[in-house]
Amino acid sequence: MTDARISNPVERPRLRRTRALLAPAVDNWLARGYLVVVAAALGFFLCAVYVLPDPGFAGIWPLMATAPTSMLALLLSTPAGYSSLTWLSPLTFAAGTALAGLFNAVLLGRLVRRLRVRQPRPAV
């Protein structure tokens, strides 16, 4: 009798590929720490927008924490006819910044994995 909760690796190749792509974002402490900084910046931004009476420049913290990817994404997603950012809702900005932070964490994790010094193994 098979349990429906147990997944067969052959059944879900897309899920395996996604996990393999996102694994560098959480497999070392530097990338995890970066994700904590991004989450704190996003939390501050969302708190400032929805709780505080005047958020001011609260959006600069998540934007700078996830630079340069977030700046590039913001420039590419801006409609050509708009000269201001009134079209950008806070939740759309937060989602885009979270994706940019995740992308940066994957790149940071891959860099750490590549730069990791391997211990020499004795010959058998």
Side-chain angles (χ1 to χ4, degrees), residues 7-26:
S7 65
N8 188 354
V10 179
E11 291 177 12
R12 298 182 183 207
R14 178 177 278 174
L15 183 62
R16 275 191 18 225
R17 278 189 307 226
T18 304
R19 284 184 182 173
L21 283 174
L22 295 179
V26 293

Side-chain angles (χ1 to χ4, degrees), residues 3-121:
D3 190 5
R5 292 177 297 185
I6 299 174
S7 65
N8 188 354
V10 179
E11 291 177 12
R12 298 182 183 207
R14 178 177 278 174
L15 183 62
R16 275 191 18 225
R17 278 189 307 226
T18 304
R19 284 184 182 173
L21 283 174
L22 295 179
V26 293
D27 71 348
N28 59 56
W29 288 103
L30 189 61
R32 287 182 205 153
Y34 176 73
L35 286 177
V36 168
V37 169
V38 171
L42 280 174
F44 173 73
F45 167 72
L46 290 174
C47 177
V49 167
Y50 290 114
V51 176
L52 298 177
D54 183 26
F57 288 103
I60 197 71
W61 296 111
L63 195 64
M64 288 297 132
T66 57
T69 309
S70 60
M71 291 182 188
L72 181 64
L74 186 65
L75 287 175
L76 292 177
S77 65
T78 304
Y82 293 100
S83 61
S84 69
L85 294 177
T86 56
W87 62 272
L88 187 63
S89 74
L91 290 178
T92 305
F93 177 75
T97 306
L99 288 175
L102 188 61
F103 181 76
N104 285 345
V106 168
L107 290 179
L108 186 63
R110 287 187 179 199
L111 177 68
V112 167
R113 186 182 288 174
R114 187 171 296 242
L115 294 178
R116 186 176 294 155
V117 178
R118 302 196 186 264
Q119 298 294 329
R121 296 183 183 182

